[in-house]
Amino acid sequence: MHHFEYRDGTLYAENVSIPELAREYGTPLYVYSAATLRRHFQAFDSAFKGLDHMTCYSVKANSNLSVLKLLAEMGAGMDIVSGGELHRAIKAGVTPEKIVYSGVGKSEAEIRQALETGIYAFNVESIAELVKINEVAESMGKVARVGFRINPDVDPKTHPYISTGMKKNKFGLDFENSLRAYKMTRDMKGVEAVGMDCHIGSQLTSIDPFLEALEKLLDFYGTLRDLGLDIQYLDLGGGLGIPYDAEEPPHPTEFGKALGEKLIGLPLKVILEPGRVIAGNAGILATEVLYAKSTPSKNFLIVDSAMNDLVRPSLYGSHHTIAEVVQHGRPAKMVDVVGPICESSDFLARDRELPEVMGGELLVVYSAGAYGFSMASNYNSRRRACELLVDGDKVIVARKRETYDDLIANEI
Ligand SMILES: *Cc1c(COP(=O)(O)O)cnc(C)c1O
């Protein structure tokens, strides 16, 4: 459920009309709904209310400070994957004790920064990284709290680029190496093994792979306890999918219930790292049609948004629903919606039935709140878009559109 609805044939974000926003702020324009973000966070977090848990929003899904701040105010922790995301989380007012640090390649400087900040824990992804964290922490006279990201070899049945918990993926440690790593920590002065972690992939539309991974981790938990390790948290990562098209992912309540049944009564803090399910359908991308063009084989709508603004269709072949911002009731036509970038992979939709639209009219690209702006680039020297956060009648400029001078600001 989101708060983007038509009123008399015109699309609104909460109480504000999209054409009005486009007039004032230009296009391409990201618009996020505060009520939707709140609702999604609340629905997810309350699904685990029976458990000692911490919902750590995955910053990479949508890293805008206003979005982070809104979620932090609701009590969210954050899952970060870089020093830059740590900087954002702290700026947004997130409590350091609610930050978990994931990712396969944390640099020495990033490890130091996280230890200085005093985050909750590192999810460690290799033995070499463990050795590095131990070294850095010791040199600072600190003890780093760590968990290992375990690769449970489970098929999440999602796009290969966003599958992370299979044997062939770069992420985490298999059980054998995890066991080695946990044992190694017993002789290390700079680290303390306090957690277990896994994140098997993104946009999962079934609970089964989560349960399969959980089962394997709980087995392993027994082994670790037998070793005398004081495991305090179990981080199950993110990955719950959303409807982009006809997908029917489980509701967070169902997800929480299924996991809760396996976890209730265990002396573990459960950590969850939802990203897409919080932000994905809380944002849209508004774009203006520049030109309509027909070739002997296709009809193209050339719009002012491109793969640099929203790369998911180009990168993953993802479906984003596209519709008119103002409904004119014209007959439908089969079109490709493409951007101005000089790549054939620059498209937002292919072979889509859309009512006929004219140059100068607006389209909405739905489900653009996660992995939209956060994956944007300046390719073709395009300025990154403006981001707005709408809250009822209120419009917050969450990020100004970049200027041409912003584009070259760091160049000499
Ligand atoms: C990307 C990521 C997430 C969030 O995934 P979603 O599919 O957006 O929920 C959580 N944890 C880790 C470690 C990630 O890399």
Side-chain angles (χ1 to χ4, degrees):
M1 255 307 286
H2 54 69
H3 291 79
F4 299 99
E5 277 164 357
Y6 288 92
R7 294 187 190 169
D8 298 326
T10 296
L11 186 68
Y12 276 68
E14 302 197 17
N15 296 330
V16 187
S17 100
I18 298 294
E20 230 172 79
L21 292 177
R23 254 193 309 278
E24 177 148 7
Y25 299 97
T27 50
L29 183 65
Y30 275 99
V31 183
Y32 310 130
S33 153
T36 310
L37 287 165
R38 288 194 196 101
R39 176 198 187 106
H40 287 176
F41 180 80
Q42 183 58 35
F44 192 95
D45 191 57
S46 65
F48 293 89
K49 64 176 181 283
L51 298 169
D52 175 16
H53 77 283
M54 189 155 82
T55 303
C56 294
Y57 168 71
S58 176
V59 173
K60 74 176 192 287
N62 183 325
S63 350
N64 186 283
L65 279 183
S66 298
V67 171
L68 301 185
K69 183 160 172 281
L70 177 151
L71 295 171
E73 281 168 2
M74 296 189 75
M78 302 273 152
D79 165 49
I80 58 161
V81 293
S82 71
E85 288 191 352
L86 176 55
H87 184 68
R88 283 180 179 278
I90 296 299
K91 285 278 179 203
V94 181
T95 318
E97 294 79 21
K98 288 187 184 173
I99 296 177
V100 288
Y101 194 163
S102 309
V104 288
K106 306 170 192 79
S107 73
E108 191 172 319
E110 288 174 318
I111 294 165
R112 190 174 298 278
Q113 178 192 356
L115 285 167
E116 273 162 6
T117 309
I119 63 167
Y120 180 76
F122 293 88
N123 287 325
V124 179
E125 302 216 17
S126 66
I127 289 182
E129 188 186 57
L130 171 68
V131 171
K132 177 65 79 185
I133 293 174
N134 181 52
E135 205 178 279
V136 176
E138 260 201 282
S139 77
M140 296 170 72
K142 292 193 187 261
V143 179
R145 291 164 51 83
V146 303
F148 292 99
R149 176 163 175 181
I150 296 159
N151 181 333
D153 192 25
V154 166
D155 184 356
K157 301 194 172 64
T158 182
H159 190 284
Y161 287 9
I162 50 177
S163 295
T164 54
M166 292 167 82
K167 249 199 306 236
K168 62 183 176 193
N169 299 130
K170 71 176 175 180
F171 297 97
L173 292 152
D174 59 90
F175 283 103
E176 201 182 316
N177 279 302
S178 299
L179 189 58
R180 259 183 74 208
Y182 278 104
K183 286 180 175 167
M184 281 173 73
T185 62
R186 296 187 298 188
D187 303 318
M188 292 177 151
K189 293 199 174 59
V191 296
E192 176 186 21
V194 294
M196 300 169 69
D197 169 52
C198 79
H199 169 72
I200 56 175
S202 199
Q203 184 54 14
L204 273 69
T205 50
S206 152
I207 297 178
D208 295 343
F210 289 106
L211 290 176
E212 199 185 325
L214 177 58
E215 200 125 321
K216 291 186 174 187
L217 259 71
L218 288 179
D219 257 4
F220 191 57
Y221 172 56
T223 309
L224 298 179
R225 270 211 306 209
D226 294 344
L227 284 177
L229 289 165
D230 178 24
I231 301 300
Q232 301 162 14
Y233 77 84
L234 173 58
D235 184 339
L236 293 170
L240 189 58
I242 62 169
Y244 282 98
D245 188 12
E247 301 94 332
E248 290 180 343
H251 189 273
T253 310
E254 215 182 309
F255 177 68
K257 186 162 171 277
L259 297 181
E261 280 167 6
K262 310 272 178 204
L263 292 163
I264 194 86
L266 292 172
L268 288 170
K269 184 194 279 295
V270 178
I271 297 178
L272 301 138
E273 304 173 344
R276 190 188 308 271
V277 72
I278 306 290
N281 280 325
I284 57 137
L285 174 63
T287 188
E288 187 181 309
V289 176
L290 298 174
Y291 306 108
K293 161 173 171 172
S294 294
T295 68
S297 56
K298 288 236 176 192
N299 300 311
F300 293 99
L301 285 179
I302 300 162
V303 299
D304 67 355
S305 297
M307 64 189 289
N308 76 297
D309 300 300
L310 180 67
V311 78
R312 298 187 69 260
S314 310
L315 188 60
Y316 312 124
S318 309
H319 176 100
H320 283 266
T321 298
I322 297 181
E324 296 167 290
V325 165
V326 178
Q327 296 170 319
H328 296 282
R330 301 189 193 115
K333 226 171 146 177
M334 186 75 89
V335 295
D336 279 18
V337 181
V338 302
I341 283 183
C342 309
E343 303 274 348
S344 291
S345 61
D346 179 28
F347 61 90
L348 297 176
R350 278 182 167 162
D351 301 321
R352 204 64 78 73
E353 288 272 348
L354 266 184
E356 202 170 344
V357 257
M358 314 289 171
E361 293 178 353
L362 295 170
L363 293 177
V364 52
V365 183
Y366 283 102
S367 313
Y371 308 104
F373 188 93
S374 66
M375 294 179 93
S377 77
N378 291 117
Y379 188 39
N380 275 213
S381 287
R382 288 169 54 84
R383 297 167 296 164
R384 279 182 295 174
C386 175
E387 294 175 283
L388 302 176
L389 179 64
V390 171
D391 192 357
D393 304 316
K394 215 168 72 192
V395 179
I396 298 152
V397 180
R399 194 179 207 271
K400 291 190 287 191
R401 185 177 308 283
E402 287 179 343
T403 64
Y404 288 138
D405 281 336
D406 289 335
L407 279 181
I408 55 171
N410 292 328
E411 295 174 33
I412 296 151

